[in-house]
Amino acid sequence: MSDPTIDAARDVLAESLDEIRRGIAGLTVDQLNAKPAGGETNSVAVIATHALASTRSYMSIAVGAPPPPRDRPAEFRTVAADGFGGWVEDMIGQCLGLLDGVTFDPSIEGVRAWTQDLADDPVTASWALLYATSHLGEHVGHLHMTLELFRPAD
């Protein structure tokens, strides 16, 4: 029997994860690593890497799975190479795979061990689920804005 909360989460996540997939499709390695807004802005590769790693971590808490190892600062130093698209597909599969065969239990709590500032501040499964989906959506928006900068001006 399916769980309506998990089914809804899968629908929302799948839509946003498809946007990440479409956003990197057809980009060269140079485009993935470019910072079209300049300065300290993030490349498409950094945005995708951080969005996927964060989603996987928060979704793990949301379903009561052990959070995967994560080096959040390294996400912002990502430099894509050949095979980046395959890595993205693998991460998308891992994010969605966390929802396979689970029933949502809002009483589950977990900690964000990947950040020292928040490691002692547990969050509920409900909070983690809502944060994962909203945070991913935020970064899909960042991805879209960054991709717009590659378009030639009219």
Side-chain angles (χ1 to χ4, degrees), residues 7-24:
D7 292 345
R10 184 184 308 281
D11 288 347
V12 171
L13 284 174
E15 184 177 329
S16 291
L17 293 169
D18 269 350
E19 290 296 319
I20 299 280
R21 179 183 287 122
R22 283 193 294 272
I24 69 157

PDB file of all heavy atoms in Angstrom, residues 7-24:
ATOM      1  N   ASP A   7       4.190   9.497  -1.611  1.00  0.00           N
ATOM      2  CA  ASP A   7       3.821   9.663  -3.020  1.00  0.00           C
ATOM      3  C   ASP A   7       3.883  11.129  -3.442  1.00  0.00           C
ATOM      4  O   ASP A   7       4.384  11.456  -4.526  1.00  0.00           O
ATOM      5  CB  ASP A   7       2.413   9.111  -3.276  1.00  0.00           C
ATOM      6  CG  ASP A   7       2.337   7.598  -3.141  1.00  0.00           C
ATOM      7  OD1 ASP A   7       3.399   6.930  -3.125  1.00  0.00           O
ATOM      8  OD2 ASP A   7       1.204   7.082  -3.039  1.00  0.00           O
ATOM      9  N   ALA A   8       3.385  12.014  -2.583  1.00  0.00           N
ATOM     10  CA  ALA A   8       3.428  13.451  -2.886  1.00  0.00           C
ATOM     11  C   ALA A   8       4.865  13.945  -2.932  1.00  0.00           C
ATOM     12  O   ALA A   8       5.243  14.714  -3.832  1.00  0.00           O
ATOM     13  CB  ALA A   8       2.622  14.231  -1.847  1.00  0.00           C
ATOM     14  N   ALA A   9       5.673  13.501  -1.972  1.00  0.00           N
ATOM     15  CA  ALA A   9       7.086  13.907  -1.961  1.00  0.00           C
ATOM     16  C   ALA A   9       7.787  13.442  -3.226  1.00  0.00           C
ATOM     17  O   ALA A   9       8.571  14.189  -3.831  1.00  0.00           O
ATOM     18  CB  ALA A   9       7.783  13.340  -0.727  1.00  0.00           C
ATOM     19  N   ARG A  10       7.507  12.206  -3.652  1.00  0.00           N
ATOM     20  CA  ARG A  10       8.134  11.688  -4.880  1.00  0.00           C
ATOM     21  C   ARG A  10       7.753  12.549  -6.085  1.00  0.00           C
ATOM     22  O   ARG A  10       8.597  12.883  -6.911  1.00  0.00           O
ATOM     23  CB  ARG A  10       7.734  10.237  -5.112  1.00  0.00           C
ATOM     24  CG  ARG A  10       8.428   9.611  -6.330  1.00  0.00           C
ATOM     25  CD  ARG A  10       7.954   8.194  -6.601  1.00  0.00           C
ATOM     26  NE  ARG A  10       8.015   7.317  -5.471  1.00  0.00           N
ATOM     27  CZ  ARG A  10       9.120   6.723  -5.020  1.00  0.00           C
ATOM     28  NH1 ARG A  10      10.266   6.934  -5.624  1.00  0.00           N
ATOM     29  NH2 ARG A  10       9.071   5.922  -3.974  1.00  0.00           N
ATOM     30  N   ASP A  11       6.484  12.926  -6.183  1.00  0.00           N
ATOM     31  CA  ASP A  11       6.043  13.763  -7.306  1.00  0.00           C
ATOM     32  C   ASP A  11       6.761  15.112  -7.320  1.00  0.00           C
ATOM     33  O   ASP A  11       7.242  15.560  -8.362  1.00  0.00           O
ATOM     34  CB  ASP A  11       4.526  13.996  -7.248  1.00  0.00           C
ATOM     35  CG  ASP A  11       3.718  12.763  -7.593  1.00  0.00           C
ATOM     36  OD1 ASP A  11       4.285  11.774  -8.117  1.00  0.00           O
ATOM     37  OD2 ASP A  11       2.492  12.765  -7.318  1.00  0.00           O
ATOM     38  N   VAL A  12       6.810  15.764  -6.150  1.00  0.00           N
ATOM     39  CA  VAL A  12       7.452  17.080  -6.069  1.00  0.00           C
ATOM     40  C   VAL A  12       8.950  16.967  -6.350  1.00  0.00           C
ATOM     41  O   VAL A  12       9.506  17.755  -7.118  1.00  0.00           O
ATOM     42  CB  VAL A  12       7.191  17.721  -4.684  1.00  0.00           C
ATOM     43  CG1 VAL A  12       8.023  18.978  -4.485  1.00  0.00           C
ATOM     44  CG2 VAL A  12       5.703  18.030  -4.518  1.00  0.00           C
ATOM     45  N   LEU A  13       9.598  15.990  -5.718  1.00  0.00           N
ATOM     46  CA  LEU A  13      11.038  15.806  -5.942  1.00  0.00           C
ATOM     47  C   LEU A  13      11.340  15.464  -7.386  1.00  0.00           C
ATOM     48  O   LEU A  13      12.282  16.006  -7.970  1.00  0.00           O
ATOM     49  CB  LEU A  13      11.588  14.715  -5.022  1.00  0.00           C
ATOM     50  CG  LEU A  13      11.781  15.094  -3.575  1.00  0.00           C
ATOM     51  CD1 LEU A  13      12.189  13.868  -2.773  1.00  0.00           C
ATOM     52  CD2 LEU A  13      12.819  16.183  -3.427  1.00  0.00           C
ATOM     53  N   ALA A  14      10.567  14.560  -7.964  1.00  0.00           N
ATOM     54  CA  ALA A  14      10.833  14.135  -9.342  1.00  0.00           C
ATOM     55  C   ALA A  14      10.769  15.321 -10.302  1.00  0.00           C
ATOM     56  O   ALA A  14      11.599  15.439 -11.212  1.00  0.00           O
ATOM     57  CB  ALA A  14       9.852  13.041  -9.767  1.00  0.00           C
ATOM     58  N   GLU A  15       9.810  16.198 -10.087  1.00  0.00           N
ATOM     59  CA  GLU A  15       9.690  17.374 -10.951  1.00  0.00           C
ATOM     60  C   GLU A  15      10.930  18.267 -10.840  1.00  0.00           C
ATOM     61  O   GLU A  15      11.502  18.690 -11.858  1.00  0.00           O
ATOM     62  CB  GLU A  15       8.432  18.158 -10.577  1.00  0.00           C
ATOM     63  CG  GLU A  15       8.164  19.339 -11.489  1.00  0.00           C
ATOM     64  CD  GLU A  15       6.864  20.044 -11.128  1.00  0.00           C
ATOM     65  OE1 GLU A  15       5.926  19.393 -10.648  1.00  0.00           O
ATOM     66  OE2 GLU A  15       6.820  21.273 -11.342  1.00  0.00           O
ATOM     67  N   SER A  16      11.361  18.543  -9.626  1.00  0.00           N
ATOM     68  CA  SER A  16      12.540  19.392  -9.443  1.00  0.00           C
ATOM     69  C   SER A  16      13.818  18.696  -9.901  1.00  0.00           C
ATOM     70  O   SER A  16      14.697  19.325 -10.503  1.00  0.00           O
ATOM     71  CB  SER A  16      12.675  19.807  -7.971  1.00  0.00           C
ATOM     72  OG  SER A  16      11.641  20.690  -7.618  1.00  0.00           O
ATOM     73  N   LEU A  17      13.918  17.405  -9.637  1.00  0.00           N
ATOM     74  CA  LEU A  17      15.111  16.670 -10.072  1.00  0.00           C
ATOM     75  C   LEU A  17      15.183  16.602 -11.595  1.00  0.00           C
ATOM     76  O   LEU A  17      16.275  16.650 -12.173  1.00  0.00           O
ATOM     77  CB  LEU A  17      15.128  15.272  -9.446  1.00  0.00           C
ATOM     78  CG  LEU A  17      15.320  15.265  -7.923  1.00  0.00           C
ATOM     79  CD1 LEU A  17      15.045  13.875  -7.363  1.00  0.00           C
ATOM     80  CD2 LEU A  17      16.706  15.757  -7.527  1.00  0.00           C
ATOM     81  N   ASP A  18      14.029  16.524 -12.254  1.00  0.00           N
ATOM     82  CA  ASP A  18      14.005  16.589 -13.721  1.00  0.00           C
ATOM     83  C   ASP A  18      14.523  17.938 -14.219  1.00  0.00           C
ATOM     84  O   ASP A  18      15.169  18.014 -15.263  1.00  0.00           O
ATOM     85  CB  ASP A  18      12.594  16.358 -14.263  1.00  0.00           C
ATOM     86  CG  ASP A  18      12.304  14.907 -14.560  1.00  0.00           C
ATOM     87  OD1 ASP A  18      13.244  14.083 -14.531  1.00  0.00           O
ATOM     88  OD2 ASP A  18      11.128  14.593 -14.830  1.00  0.00           O
ATOM     89  N   GLU A  19      14.225  18.988 -13.480  1.00  0.00           N
ATOM     90  CA  GLU A  19      14.729  20.315 -13.857  1.00  0.00           C
ATOM     91  C   GLU A  19      16.255  20.368 -13.763  1.00  0.00           C
ATOM     92  O   GLU A  19      16.916  20.994 -14.592  1.00  0.00           O
ATOM     93  CB  GLU A  19      14.104  21.406 -12.991  1.00  0.00           C
ATOM     94  CG  GLU A  19      12.643  21.650 -13.268  1.00  0.00           C
ATOM     95  CD  GLU A  19      12.395  22.184 -14.673  1.00  0.00           C
ATOM     96  OE1 GLU A  19      13.153  23.043 -15.152  1.00  0.00           O
ATOM     97  OE2 GLU A  19      11.423  21.715 -15.297  1.00  0.00           O
ATOM     98  N   ILE A  20      16.826  19.718 -12.760  1.00  0.00           N
ATOM     99  CA  ILE A  20      18.294  19.633 -12.659  1.00  0.00           C
ATOM    100  C   ILE A  20      18.826  18.862 -13.867  1.00  0.00           C
ATOM    101  O   ILE A  20      19.776  19.296 -14.531  1.00  0.00           O
ATOM    102  CB  ILE A  20      18.728  18.933 -11.345  1.00  0.00           C
ATOM    103  CG1 ILE A  20      18.245  19.690 -10.118  1.00  0.00           C
ATOM    104  CG2 ILE A  20      20.236  18.680 -11.336  1.00  0.00           C
ATOM    105  CD1 ILE A  20      19.046  20.879  -9.702  1.00  0.00           C
ATOM    106  N   ARG A  21      18.217  17.732 -14.156  1.00  0.00           N
ATOM    107  CA  ARG A  21      18.628  16.901 -15.294  1.00  0.00           C
ATOM    108  C   ARG A  21      18.585  17.707 -16.598  1.00  0.00           C
ATOM    109  O   ARG A  21      19.537  17.714 -17.361  1.00  0.00           O
ATOM    110  CB  ARG A  21      17.702  15.687 -15.385  1.00  0.00           C
ATOM    111  CG  ARG A  21      17.998  14.749 -16.525  1.00  0.00           C
ATOM    112  CD  ARG A  21      16.984  13.611 -16.598  1.00  0.00           C
ATOM    113  NE  ARG A  21      17.197  12.661 -15.518  1.00  0.00           N
ATOM    114  CZ  ARG A  21      16.285  12.336 -14.604  1.00  0.00           C
ATOM    115  NH1 ARG A  21      15.076  12.898 -14.617  1.00  0.00           N
ATOM    116  NH2 ARG A  21      16.568  11.454 -13.668  1.00  0.00           N
ATOM    117  N   ARG A  22      17.459  18.376 -16.835  1.00  0.00           N
ATOM    118  CA  ARG A  22      17.323  19.163 -18.067  1.00  0.00           C
ATOM    119  C   ARG A  22      18.290  20.347 -18.084  1.00  0.00           C
ATOM    120  O   ARG A  22      18.785  20.745 -19.138  1.00  0.00           O
ATOM    121  CB  ARG A  22      15.888  19.658 -18.224  1.00  0.00           C
ATOM    122  CG  ARG A  22      14.936  18.597 -18.709  1.00  0.00           C
ATOM    123  CD  ARG A  22      13.597  19.160 -19.162  1.00  0.00           C
ATOM    124  NE  ARG A  22      12.808  19.752 -18.096  1.00  0.00           N
ATOM    125  CZ  ARG A  22      11.957  19.084 -17.326  1.00  0.00           C
ATOM    126  NH1 ARG A  22      11.791  17.793 -17.484  1.00  0.00           N
ATOM    127  NH2 ARG A  22      11.267  19.703 -16.393  1.00  0.00           N
ATOM    128  N   GLY A  23      18.551  20.909 -16.911  1.00  0.00           N
ATOM    129  CA  GLY A  23      19.433  22.071 -16.835  1.00  0.00           C
ATOM    130  C   GLY A  23      20.863  21.781 -17.244  1.00  0.00           C
ATOM    131  O   GLY A  23      21.531  22.637 -17.824  1.00  0.00           O
ATOM    132  N   ILE A  24      21.342  20.578 -16.952  1.00  0.00           N
ATOM    133  CA  ILE A  24      22.728  20.256 -17.317  1.00  0.00           C
ATOM    134  C   ILE A  24      22.830  19.598 -18.683  1.00  0.00           C
ATOM    135  O   ILE A  24      23.926  19.525 -19.251  1.00  0.00           O
ATOM    136  CB  ILE A  24      23.411  19.372 -16.253  1.00  0.00           C
ATOM    137  CG1 ILE A  24      22.814  17.970 -16.231  1.00  0.00           C
ATOM    138  CG2 ILE A  24      23.364  20.032 -14.889  1.00  0.00           C
ATOM    139  CD1 ILE A  24      23.731  16.928 -15.647  1.00  0.00           C
TER     140      ILE A  24
END
